[in-house]
Amino acid sequence: MNTPSSPLVTRRRIQVGELGIPFIELTLTNGETFHLYDTAGPQGHDPRDGLPKRRQDWVQPRIDRGDTNFSQMHYARKGLITEEMQFVAAREGMEAEFVRAEVAAGRAIIPANKNHLELEPTIIGKAFKVKVNSNIGNSAISSSIDDEVEKLQWSVKWGADTVMDLSTGKNIHETREWILRNSPVPIGTVPLYQALEKVGGVVEDLNIDVYLQTIREQAEQGVDYFTVHAGVLLRAIPLTRDRVCGIVSRGGSIMAKWCMHHHKENFLYEHFDRILEVMKEYDVSFSLGDGLRPGAIADANDDAQFFELRILGELTTRAWEHDVQVMIEGPGHVPMHKIKENVDLQQEVCHEAPFYTLGPLTTDIAPGYDHITSAIGAAIIGMYGTAMLCYVTPKEHLGLPDKHDVKEGMIAYRIAAHAADLAKGHPGAQQWDDMLSKARFEFRWEDQFELGLDPETAREYHDATLPQAGAKVAHFCSMCGPAFCAYKLSQDVNEMADKLGDVVSIGGADGMSTDEIRAGLDEMAERFKAGGSEIYVPVDPS
Amino acid sequence: MNTPSSPLVTRRRIQVGELGIPFIELTLTNGETFHLYDTAGPQGHDPRDGLPKRRQDWVQPRIDRGDTNFSQMHYARKGLITEEMQFVAAREGMEAEFVRAEVAAGRAIIPANKNHLELEPTIIGKAFKVKVNSNIGNSAISSSIDDEVEKLQWSVKWGADTVMDLSTGKNIHETREWILRNSPVPIGTVPLYQALEKVGGVVEDLNIDVYLQTIREQAEQGVDYFTVHAGVLLRAIPLTRDRVCGIVSRGGSIMAKWCMHHHKENFLYEHFDRILEVMKEYDVSFSLGDGLRPGAIADANDDAQFFELRILGELTTRAWEHDVQVMIEGPGHVPMHKIKENVDLQQEVCHEAPFYTLGPLTTDIAPGYDHITSAIGAAIIGMYGTAMLCYVTPKEHLGLPDKHDVKEGMIAYRIAAHAADLAKGHPGAQQWDDMLSKARFEFRWEDQFELGLDPETAREYHDATLPQAGAKVAHFCSMCGPAFCAYKLSQDVNEMADKLGDVVSIGGADGMSTDEIRAGLDEMAERFKAGGSEIYVPVDPS
């Protein structure tokens, strides 16, 4: 039997324009092309060499002319449109002047350390595509440097817009160096972890000097944003006493312990201005940490959480006085009906600085599936205006994610982010859905697979019941089989309607009497039968 | 080294009270007990014998006294509280009179065919726990009767509240018989599929007589609810012409083709009263099918969909005139910002009849992950008042689900349903989350696993990095390692606060001057150090 072969989709990485905006270009089996936003970066480089330094020519002139504040916000407020702004504008399909205005107003940030020259800049703000962060990093228990670089590459392959290196063990500096030199996306860290290593793991011995030394070291390497837990104030700690889950942020609990031991105010808060000096010198963005975020449904939206949020708003104002870019970290564990209040309050008290949330998880009852409990919350909080979503993997609460977990977490969050883009009406977002659904309705299986977030898995699932090449062009799938395929029947119906022309009216709605409708229907039936209405004969699946 | 052994949780199936309400009783390692809602039914029976006929004694008296309308709505409207109503009331922790009133008003249904005596009744309505339906059923391509019974048992093991048998191939009657005799949950079908088999698969040859013969056959077997596509009216079909995905409901596309061919009105609509007679004789509930539901984001909330919804409202009124129970099927594919309108309109035009939706999927771009794209929509639509969610598996759009897919789909949907219960403030819902989070914070790992939706997977994920028995009682996990565990640090902070008593005030908020606060803090620091503030020494993980 003659089985039709499956036409192929062409997938290639392209760079558009002078600035080389990266996209994946798909050429579909029907000849149409489609561009996918691409975060994977230049391919095929030896990790020991790192990626090409595409920002070298952008940053060097700023150094040469003696700039002292390198922040994108600083340039934006001076009315300058940087190459980074042009890049993200072209990447998002927006005007560069709009990007500049959003950055100047603090409603969006472009994390881009002047020393992270390998970066392909991205913008984080509610007017733009919702972004996804992936966490990597070794812990005291396991993993190696090679593992971490591989996790970085794996994360961006699956669409991570930024990556946080949360390493806490040995070789923390060297691990970070490898990650930065191989990262096309902004890298964030929590400098407190390394500062704690420097004082031998003794929380009480932490101090502002070792912290400043640490952030300068990391800024020099090119880290693009720092989580800083400057909002965990001594007087707020007792508010967590009656919680079900206390303080669940690592940085938050470290600072709380320090504050309690010394009975002094948080040194990050007290010396915030000294931190700011480093931030603007390198253009490191703040990710103001929510050290008192809720870690259980019971603790959501409580006094501790919202007290800290107001402090973060105060710190935002102080950072903006120095043109330092800021985003605000958010929860955590929040039931659905309490999500909107989080965004509304954050936008109000933090003056519309971008919100960056961890999920939130919408229930606590599913350990092993928190990528799903939290993708629900992430999609909703994204719809309400959250700019970036920190992914959660299936291993959350249980252990360190492996490659499979990273991929599962990334895909769940790209779903959440895109669902939010659709709900916000982001320009062009729905075109992607429409391309895929059209391919689906027209039985262009290969197009459907390749337009999806994970072509390999889609193809594998399809082939699990219909592995034959012919099935890739068949006008049915194994869900319904050939006789019951709704798409095919629906296409038949459409063809019938086309044969009849426009005469199938919406009876009853246009004032026709029942008899008139009946007479019209009989006439139509005769015309349809005369036109030939054969039953669908499926392509042989063998 | 002496490694502590892991204390065990006791899990047993109990039946409470005279009616034998099923629960799973967990006895946790700290001695607390917790009852989980349980749908798995009596265990250990030979499928050839079927389950015990627990409703025999409830139904026989109604037959003996010569009832002709067996519907729960009929009894409810006469002011009678049936055993089924008592059962679901006890199961949900509600008053039986409240259940009766909700059923009488049509706001809730108890699908319970008088011939499905093995049933453990469940209630579907917005005032109750959100329910989840699992679809099983062979297709022309694959699967056997044994497979289907196993899928039934697998579905209820993972928490399916109802199961739809969507078989379309050979042995459809026998498959259904096996499923019914072994099902503790309500079984739904789409009788149109079998009617189509009876006319040799020729859509045009369908007619009301073969349909009535089919529903009587299935009602006699004990099917609890029928999807009936009586709302696909001829005049609405052209409204689907310009859709991206046309008609995606199998039943809807069959009826559309029939209507177009004959140019007659849908025979299910025309002869709805004759269908009603069968429904009330057995107490089969309607699940009024949304044959014109959107199958793509582009088609959501369009004229075709909402035209049909209004017709379903009209049919609801007609059914209620005969005291026949009704729920309304809903979409499909809907972006998040268009979800609420679906529930609001459905509740309005269908007079608060329970809504039963398929997802909805919130984006089309993730074939292979539609359990996640749709769990997002399901959670949201549940929060807004949808009573039952039809699950979607990872194989949606691609192929027939296997056991793994059924489990993945069920867990995603139990997450969605419980997240919705939390958001609606269903009584007792949050207690489950709180029990689990408390176990998590107190490092009672086995309790955390067993309280979760999937204990095996949670345990397996934990053990992937820390397999030693001692790690099950360790005060950290592999995510952060011993030195960085936020929970442990947070417990330390709590202990510090306890040692100090109540003296850690919310400085500044109570009118103290900065100097007064500072003096108080210094005093507290001294007291804490005097009390001994040792660093956490972890349990040896080896």
Side-chain angles (χ1 to χ4, degrees), chain A residues 67-116:
Chain A
D67 288 1
T68 54
N69 187 336
F70 284 82
S71 100
Q72 293 290 321
M73 185 182 223
H74 186 65
Y75 297 122
R77 287 180 163 183
K78 291 203 292 188
L80 295 174
I81 294 176
T82 61
E83 288 87 348
E84 288 83 356
M85 296 174 203
Q86 292 173 39
F87 187 96
V88 299
R91 206 171 186 184
E92 301 258 347
M94 304 282 202
E95 294 295 323
E97 168 53 26
F98 176 73
V99 167
R100 187 205 60 75
E102 289 292 293
V103 172
R107 281 191 298 266
I109 66 171
I110 302 175
N113 184 311
K114 70 174 182 186
N115 287 348
H116 187 193

Side-chain angles (χ1 to χ4, degrees), chain B residues 113 176 180 187-189 218-219 221-226 283-284:
Chain B
N113 185 311
R176 191 166 48 239
L180 278 160
I187 296 294
T189 64
Q218 296 196 11
Q221 287 185 295
V223 173
D224 301 288
Y225 64 91
F226 290 150
D283 192 14
V284 183

Side-chain angles (χ1 to χ4, degrees), chain A residues 171-397:
Chain A
N171 304 320
I172 199 169
H173 183 98
E174 193 186 351
T175 302
R176 189 167 51 240
E177 186 66 26
W178 282 80
I179 288 173
L180 278 160
R181 300 291 75 79
N182 285 283
S183 180
V185 302
I187 295 296
T189 64
V190 185
L192 193 62
Y193 300 164
Q194 190 181 8
L196 187 56
E197 302 279 348
K198 287 178 193 278
V199 295
V202 181
V203 170
E204 295 84 339
D205 290 351
L206 282 167
N207 58 72
I208 187 62
D209 293 320
V210 74
Y211 191 84
L212 289 170
Q213 177 196 50
T214 304
I215 62 172
R216 183 166 290 280
E217 170 188 336
Q218 296 196 11
E220 187 66 29
Q221 286 185 297
V223 173
D224 301 288
Y225 62 92
F226 290 150
T227 294
V228 179
H229 296 92
V232 179
L233 298 198
L234 177 59
R235 60 185 184 272
I237 296 166
L239 296 174
T240 66
R241 182 65 189 89
D242 293 326
R243 280 180 161 184
V244 166
C245 271
I247 300 172
V248 298
S249 152
R250 278 195 261 175
S253 63
I254 291 166
M255 288 315 303
K257 187 163 185 175
W258 187 93
C259 291
M260 290 294 283
H261 177 85
H262 294 287
H263 268 273
K264 284 190 182 152
E265 194 48 278
N266 185 326
F267 63 81
L268 301 170
Y269 179 82
E270 296 276 289
H271 299 281
F272 195 68
D273 289 342
R274 295 174 67 187
I275 298 170
L276 281 174
E277 292 304 319
V278 181
M279 306 301 268
K280 67 185 179 189
E281 183 180 335
Y282 293 90
D283 193 13
V284 182
S285 299
F286 274 115
S287 182
L288 290 175
D290 56 337
L292 304 182
R293 68 170 174 268
I297 290 295
D299 302 337
N301 295 20
D302 72 356
D303 288 346
Q305 182 193 342
F306 284 164
F307 176 92
E308 183 185 29
L309 185 57
R310 290 174 190 279
I311 303 299
L312 300 186
E314 178 195 311
L315 294 171
T316 300
T317 304
R318 288 168 64 184
W320 285 355
E321 285 167 6
H322 295 256
D323 297 346
V324 170
Q325 302 190 95
V326 176
M327 61 182 168
I328 307 291
E329 294 187 8
H333 291 236
V334 184
M336 284 191 287
H337 63 300
K338 293 188 176 178
I339 289 176
K340 186 166 186 296
E341 184 185 3
N342 273 274
V343 188
D344 290 348
L345 185 64
Q346 183 273 335
Q347 287 287 292
E348 179 197 332
V349 303
C350 299
H351 322 294
E352 298 188 83
F355 205 20
Y356 164 34
T357 62
L358 180 65
L361 285 70
T362 54
T363 169
D364 304 341
I365 64 165
Y369 299 85
D370 279 328
H371 60 312
I372 299 178
T373 66
S374 67
I376 293 168
I380 296 172
I381 210 164
M383 171 172 64
Y384 289 135
T386 292
M388 185 156 78
L389 309 170
C390 181
Y391 89 159
V392 170
T393 80
K395 289 269 175 65
E396 184 73 15
H397 299 116

